[in-house]
């Protein structure tokens, strides 16, 4: 039962996985976010758990049920996700960043609902950059887990993904083309290419649950070579 899903025994291994969007408040009633559903990260968490791993899932605001026997930590914004990820990563073997973290947040969070200003047809919003969660974990000198990122791209998919693998010093990146209909954000399906320093592997388009088992198997082969 613990072996069939991806042909790997992850008994004794600890995985930390981020999933879903982050939500960055602007005022008490408004926020910035994106279309991530969290499905890929949740599917990875379920697959790793079924293969025997202890799994901590750090989830942004999503409407998905927690996979069986997975420890879930709910967060709202990028800074909360980073705090939870840094703490959990201290004790893990593999860190997988499947979350679609908001790159920026509003510089100011208004205490009261922002009012339309009279006589003004335009307004500007000042944003500040959020911390790069996966890059900080990959840059660790101590307690550095095997670190995996995702790259959701709409063009030059493999080129951008390979750039992120190198720039963030990841061990592996999973590239997906989110411009295709019924693939990526909010879909049950995905089409991905796995890139690591040794090369590329294109996986056939599949259900996210099917891909999750394959990806956990590929991560295990590389993180825990026999
Ligand atoms: N990521 C992260 N923290 C951020 C931004 C991204 O951990 N603040 C992670 C994502 O979870 C993903 C990887 O970095 O695993 C790539 O995210 P992506 O948005 O594709 O890359 P960015 O570096 O943010 O570049 P851009 O959005 O400009 O393409
Ligand atoms: Ca981004």
């Amino acid at each position: 039962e613990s072996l069939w899903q991806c042909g790997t025994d992850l008994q004794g291994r600890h995985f930390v996985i981020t999933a879903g969007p982050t939500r960055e408040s602007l005022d008490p009633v408004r926020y910035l976010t994106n279309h991530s559903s969290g499905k890929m990260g949740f599917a990875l968490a379920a697959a790793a758990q079924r293969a025997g791993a202890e799994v901590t899932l750090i989830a942004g605001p999503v409407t998905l049920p927690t996979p069986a026997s997975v420890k879930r930590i709910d967060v709202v914004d990028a800074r909360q996700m980073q705090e939870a990820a840094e703490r959990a990563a201290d004790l893990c073997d593999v860190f997988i960043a499947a979350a679609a973290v908001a790159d920026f947040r509003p510089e100011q969070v208004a205490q009261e609902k922002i009012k339309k200003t009279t006589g003004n047809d335009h307004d500007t919003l000042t944003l500040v950059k959020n911390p790069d969660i996966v890059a900080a974990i990959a840059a660790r000198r101590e307690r550095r887990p095997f670190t995996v990122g995702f790259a959701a791209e709409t063009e030059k998919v493999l080129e951008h993904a390979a750039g992120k693998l190198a720039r963030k010093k990841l061990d592996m990146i999973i590239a997906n083309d989110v411009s295709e209909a019924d693939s990526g954000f909010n879909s049950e399906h995905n089409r991905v290419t796995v890139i690591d320093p040794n090369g590329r592997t294109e996986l056939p388009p599949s259900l996210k649950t099917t891909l999750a088992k394959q990806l956990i198997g590929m991560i295990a082969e590389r993180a825990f070579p026999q």
Side-chain angles (χ1 to χ4, degrees):
E1 164 65 23
S2 70
L3 291 176
W4 65 270
Q5 273 82 8
C6 60
T8 320
D9 186 0
L10 293 177
Q11 202 72 237
R13 306 296 190 180
H14 185 185
F15 280 52
V16 174
I17 301 172
T18 67
T22 64
R23 180 186 284 178
E24 311 294 331
S25 283
L26 189 50
D27 70 13
V29 298
R30 303 183 179 98
Y31 54 81
L32 301 179
T33 189
N34 59 66
H35 289 297
S36 170
S37 63
K39 282 174 192 157
M40 194 67 235
F42 274 57
L44 287 164
Q49 191 282 327
R50 282 195 228 110
E54 179 191 343
V55 179
T56 303
L57 177 59
I58 301 169
V62 295
T63 53
L64 297 171
T66 309
S69 303
V70 163
K71 180 186 173 191
R72 173 172 176 173
I73 301 171
D74 284 306
V75 297
V76 177
D77 65 30
R79 288 178 297 174
Q80 292 167 357
M81 184 173 277
Q82 183 179 43
E83 199 182 311
E86 286 286 347
R87 186 172 313 132
D90 284 345
L91 303 166
C92 80
D93 302 292
V94 175
F95 181 80
I96 307 175
V101 183
D103 292 329
F104 293 90
R105 65 177 181 274
E107 185 174 43
Q108 314 269 4
V109 182
Q111 291 303 304
E112 307 296 340
K113 186 186 166 198
I114 299 166
K115 304 305 290 178
K116 267 186 299 200
T117 47
T118 47
N120 190 357
D121 284 343
H122 298 87
D123 203 354
T124 54
L125 184 57
T126 304
L127 303 175
V128 291
K129 208 173 233 165
N130 270 327
D132 191 317
I133 300 168
V134 77
I137 287 173
R140 285 183 174 193
R141 285 157 163 265
E142 280 167 23
R143 287 187 284 191
R144 183 189 182 282
F146 186 89
T147 306
V148 181
F150 271 78
E153 307 289 349
T154 59
E155 43 127 29
K156 298 182 189 159
V157 178
L158 298 182
E159 189 182 320
H160 282 142
K164 284 173 190 174
L165 175 78
R167 217 166 36 246
K168 301 187 193 223
K169 300 186 166 62
L170 306 176
D171 297 301
M172 181 194 283
I173 196 155
I174 301 157
N176 69 316
D177 188 338
V178 292
S179 70
E180 283 179 54
D182 201 35
S183 186
F185 280 176
N186 245 315
S187 168
E188 297 295 335
H189 300 86
N190 213 351
R191 182 181 186 147
V192 304
T193 299
V194 174
I195 309 176
D196 72 8
N198 297 317
R200 294 171 178 179
T201 311
E202 192 180 339
L203 300 181
S206 310
L207 282 170
K208 286 181 177 175
T209 49
T210 306
L211 276 175
K213 293 170 204 166
Q214 289 177 282
L215 290 171
I216 293 297
M218 294 177 75
I219 290 166
E221 272 175 24
R222 290 161 173 78
F224 315 116
Q226 295 296 321

